[in-house]
Amino acid sequence: MMGRVSSCTPLITWTGPTRDNQIAPFLQWNGQLSEGQKEASKQVVTAIQNHQKLLVWAVCGAGKTEVLFAGIHEALQTGKRICIASPRTDVIHELTPRLQNAFPHIPVVSLFGGSEQKNEYSPLTLLTTHQLYRFQAAFDAVIVDEVDAFPYAYDKTLQFAVEKARKKQSSLILLTATPSSKLKKQSRKGTLPTVKIPVRYHGHPLPVPNIAWAGNWQKKISKGKLPHSIAVWSKERLQQQKQAFIFFPHIETMQMALPIFQQLHPDIQSVHAEDPERKVKVKSMRRGDIPILLTTTILERGVTVPGVDVAVVGADDLGFKEAALVQISGRVGRRSDLPQGNITFFHHGKTMTMVKAVGHIRQMNKEGAKRGWLIHE
């Protein structure tokens, strides 16, 4: 809608009175927060009340969305306008119905590329970070989910858009499972108030990845064969009737591997960012129609399939950063009735990045145990 905008293009902004947002929000959520969630929830409420900045560092599957409910309720009750932004469209699609169910009397507006709600107003707005270009001093509280995700973490204009969309007196809540080194440094120095949730909402330890050698897997696939270790792992999942994600570092290699995997089972599919059937395939995976889904890092976050196992083919590839490997590992064991699962890093040569990712997960389990929040198995 904005099209090309240059420095000489006039931009029209609203300068009239602020809209009255005092609607009884009636938070309708009867779930129970874990000890870690309770602590974080209190700090989110305090940050919103006092127009403060806060980093919520929570492991994958900690239940970050539920942690926000009390803070959103506080903001709405006091007539504030709040937005939740994420770099990923998938995350916005997943969060919108959850927030609408929690606040059924608030007309939640969801903005993303192709959204039909572009001209609608709501005191509770969910949007992709690119949509923040449309706003100036509009929100009393801005929550940025997946703050470490591409492209937000690497694009200073998107970070500027977040600041531009905030009112002068407002709060900023940053959510992530894998904060950048910059955020970690600010947290350590005390310049960025931080609350950490090292345990998932169900209290079970995070599944720790296995590291397995796969030889020159790219050469094998180019010859129409699967490395033995990957083939064995995949057959085990099929025999156990366990769904699985298998992550690849490159679309080309993944597409080359697809027909080889389909020899194991014809319903195995692949998906990537430019796939026109991406949404359909993810829905099919959630319904249980696809036994194994080959994917790029596009599904490293924001997608939950109960009881899924995960493999990373070529975990030693430079495309897989520590944060990506931690996020991918976070797909496993998210449900309270299915808290365990298998995550395996297949490689041609173990890298420090892989070791750091495993260390990151072990450290979170250690912190959770130290606080007494882990269920001992």
Side-chain angles (χ1 to χ4, degrees), residues 161-232:
V162 167
E163 295 300 326
K164 182 176 71 70
R166 295 171 59 195
K167 291 182 180 178
K168 284 185 179 180
Q169 196 174 39
S170 62
S171 51
L172 177 64
I173 315 292
L174 306 175
L175 308 177
T176 180
T178 47
S180 65
S181 54
K182 181 181 177 181
L183 290 178
K184 286 180 182 176
K185 189 175 181 181
Q186 290 175 351
S187 178
R188 282 195 302 270
K189 284 186 172 182
T191 55
L192 176 59
T194 303
V195 59
K196 190 184 285 189
I197 313 177
V199 179
R200 286 178 164 170
Y201 73 96
H202 52 56
H204 293 271
L206 297 166
V208 179
N210 304 306
I211 295 179
W213 189 71
N216 193 338
W217 59 273
Q218 293 188 77
K219 188 176 180 180
K220 277 271 191 182
I221 288 172
S222 68
K223 290 183 176 181
K225 295 180 181 179
L226 287 178
H228 178 71
S229 55
I230 296 173
V232 169

Side-chain angles (χ1 to χ4, degrees), residues 4 32 67 128 143 148 178 182 188 244 265 280 352 375:
R4 179 181 172 183
Q32 296 292 318
V67 163
T128 54
I143 298 170
D148 62 297
T178 47
K182 181 181 177 181
R188 282 195 302 270
H265 197 295
V280 175
M352 187 54 68
I375 295 172

